Amino acid sequence: MKKLFLALMIVPLLLGSCKNRTNNDEVEIENTETEVIDRSVNPYISEKQAEETPVEAENLSGEVIVLSASDFEKKVTEIYNDKGFRYKGYTPCIVDFYANWCQPCMRMKPVFEKLAKKYKGQVIFYQINVDNARDICDVFDIENIPTMMFFNRSDAPRRMVGAMSETELDNAIQEFLK
């Protein structure tokens, strides 16, 4: 019985992504391929990219910034907008959708922090806890975590699902910046 209990405790540590639920019993492994969302059916990009200044100055410190749901709408995009979703910033950003109970998410945290320092001034690194942002997860169809969404003003958002190595995430960021 103890061996069975121990095996059940270790399994989540070995898997690459967690199902986005408040209970972490369901675990699903996803590919970490970058998914480009098609503009023709993409509610995330409006037809006209407005040339507004960001609501507030962007934080280019190279630190990971933890967002609340309201901060997400102020800094990244509004989720209830008839004209579609438009990234508000000028500097590209990556949003890490995570949960404290998700072991793959916690393994990604130091990788995310290291890359935030590496890309200081070039990319803004945000994190948002899915347990505190259900509406945002529903709108962006975040079903598994960790999920990284890449936003910039001129392209459709890109999504990567699942835990990845530092090299994989670094390569994805370099591709995103091209």
Side-chain angles (χ1 to χ4, degrees), residues 138-174:
D138 289 345
V139 167
F140 287 99
D141 199 27
I142 306 295
E143 294 180 354
N144 297 297
I145 53 175
T147 292
M148 308 281 174
M149 290 207 58
F150 299 73
F151 292 89
N152 67 35
R153 289 181 73 80
S154 59
D155 291 326
R158 296 178 183 206
R159 178 190 338 240
M160 291 184 72
V161 178
M164 60 203 83
S165 70
E166 180 180 336
T167 304
E168 290 172 316
L169 184 54
D170 192 18
N171 290 339
I173 293 169
Q174 288 175 22

Side-chain angles (χ1 to χ4, degrees), residues 12-122:
L13 296 173
L14 300 175
L15 298 175
S17 68
C18 297
K19 196 77 168 157
N20 182 10
R21 306 233 189 278
T22 52
N23 101 24
N24 60 349
D25 293 338
E26 295 183 43
V27 178
E28 181 176 314
I29 297 175
E30 292 272 335
N31 291 334
T32 60
E33 295 178 14
T34 303
E35 169 190 344
V36 178
I37 301 168
D38 181 10
R39 282 181 192 245
S40 63
V41 293
N42 179 11
Y44 308 127
I45 298 293
S46 63
E47 289 298 317
K48 295 180 181 179
Q49 292 281 342
E51 292 299 322
E52 302 172 358
T53 3
V55 175
E56 57 188 71
E58 294 179 325
N59 183 340
L60 302 176
S61 67
E63 298 294 321
V64 175
I65 302 159
V66 178
L67 299 175
S68 65
S70 63
D71 288 340
F72 180 90
E73 291 197 66
K74 289 177 191 170
K75 297 178 185 208
V76 180
T77 188
E78 294 174 11
I79 62 170
Y80 300 112
N81 183 348
D82 294 338
K83 296 179 182 177
F85 300 104
R86 182 186 54 79
Y87 176 53
K88 292 185 174 187
Y90 285 113
T91 306
C93 79
I94 301 171
V95 180
D96 173 20
F97 290 85
Y98 78 100
N100 292 328
W101 48 260
C102 170
Q103 290 300 314
C105 298
M106 293 299 102
R107 284 195 313 267
M108 288 294 302
K109 188 174 181 169
V111 170
F112 205 62
E113 290 170 350
K114 183 176 181 181
L115 292 173
K117 288 180 175 73
K118 177 178 179 178
Y119 289 98
K120 177 181 178 177
Q122 298 174 45

